[in-house]
Amino acid sequence: MTDDNWEEIVGIAVAKAKEMARESAVMRAKKEKPENTKLDNERRQRIEIIRKGLERYREEPEESNIRKYINWLLEEHSELQKCFTGSEKEEFKKRHNTIVLRYIIATPMSRCQIGKRLGTNCYGKENIIEKGIREMAALAFWDWELWDM
């Protein structure tokens, strides 16, 4: 092996090491976790399944499986309030009631109407409707990580 060949091999190795370091830095900067991506997508799908069931609730006939399941899920969700006390219990009741007012009653209420009626935030990060849907998805799929998403 000549010195020129050796320098060429070293150059290729250095270039590859730089490329790998750059890719690693980009992944860390984006805080990507490739091993969790599939699980996160599954959890989002589970939440979406419950949301779609709630959205279809009023259109479904009384005997439909969707209505039966949502009714059961609402009963189970309501039972959970027994696990809370004080202000946590009151917040939980508000989350449950927002789901009922938004999706279950015959004439749905808008987020703004619900917020005014219950004195809650139905928009943004503190959106209690979304939190209630995540709680119901956690119950439906026995995936307690959904509770804190």
Side-chain angles (χ1 to χ4, degrees), residues 43 46 69 72-73 76 80 134-147:
R43 287 186 171 130
R46 290 172 178 173
Y69 189 71
W72 174 82
L73 202 51
E76 293 299 312
L80 273 179
R134 287 193 309 270
E135 290 170 353
M136 290 178 71
L139 280 171
F141 296 101
W142 286 89
D143 182 353
W144 303 114
E145 296 293 321
L146 289 169
W147 197 277

Side-chain angles (χ1 to χ4, degrees), residues 29-46:
K30 291 182 179 180
K31 294 184 180 176
E32 291 180 351
K33 297 177 184 172
E35 63 277 359
N36 292 335
T37 303
K38 182 179 178 186
L39 185 58
D40 290 344
N41 287 339
E42 287 177 9
R43 287 186 171 130
R44 283 188 203 96
Q45 289 173 349
R46 290 172 178 173

Side-chain angles (χ1 to χ4, degrees), residues 23-147:
E23 288 173 0
S24 176
V26 167
M27 280 183 65
R28 273 182 278 151
K30 291 182 179 180
K31 294 184 180 176
E32 291 180 351
K33 297 177 184 172
E35 63 277 359
N36 292 335
T37 303
K38 182 179 178 186
L39 185 58
D40 290 344
N41 287 339
E42 287 177 9
R43 287 186 171 130
R44 283 188 203 96
Q45 289 173 349
R46 290 172 178 173
I47 292 167
E48 198 57 31
I49 287 169
I50 300 303
R51 181 187 331 281
K52 294 296 181 191
L54 287 165
E55 289 171 354
R56 289 180 52 182
Y57 183 86
R58 279 187 216 92
E59 301 165 4
E60 293 292 318
E62 282 287 323
E63 66 279 349
S64 78
N65 288 335
I66 291 174
R67 267 188 102 133
K68 289 177 185 176
Y69 189 71
I70 294 296
N71 287 337
W72 174 82
L73 202 51
L74 283 167
E75 288 174 21
E76 293 299 312
H77 189 252
S78 178
E79 284 294 310
L80 273 179
Q81 70 181 291
K82 294 176 182 174
C83 299
F84 298 98
T85 59
S87 64
E88 285 182 336
K89 185 173 187 171
E90 292 307 312
E91 287 301 311
F92 187 86
K93 283 182 182 180
K94 284 183 182 180
R95 287 194 299 273
H96 182 78
N97 290 336
T98 58
I99 297 294
V100 172
L101 293 172
R102 180 77 174 156
Y103 297 106
I104 306 304
I105 62 172
T107 305
M109 294 177 73
S110 71
R111 289 175 181 258
C112 186
Q113 290 171 320
I114 294 169
K116 286 180 182 175
R117 183 171 184 172
L118 298 177
T120 62
N121 183 359
C122 295
Y123 297 98
K125 287 185 177 181
E126 297 175 21
N127 184 341
I128 67 171
I129 294 173
E130 295 304 314
K131 175 124 176 86
I133 292 171
R134 287 193 309 270
E135 290 170 353
M136 290 178 71
L139 280 171
F141 296 101
W142 286 89
D143 182 353
W144 303 114
E145 296 293 321
L146 289 169
W147 197 277

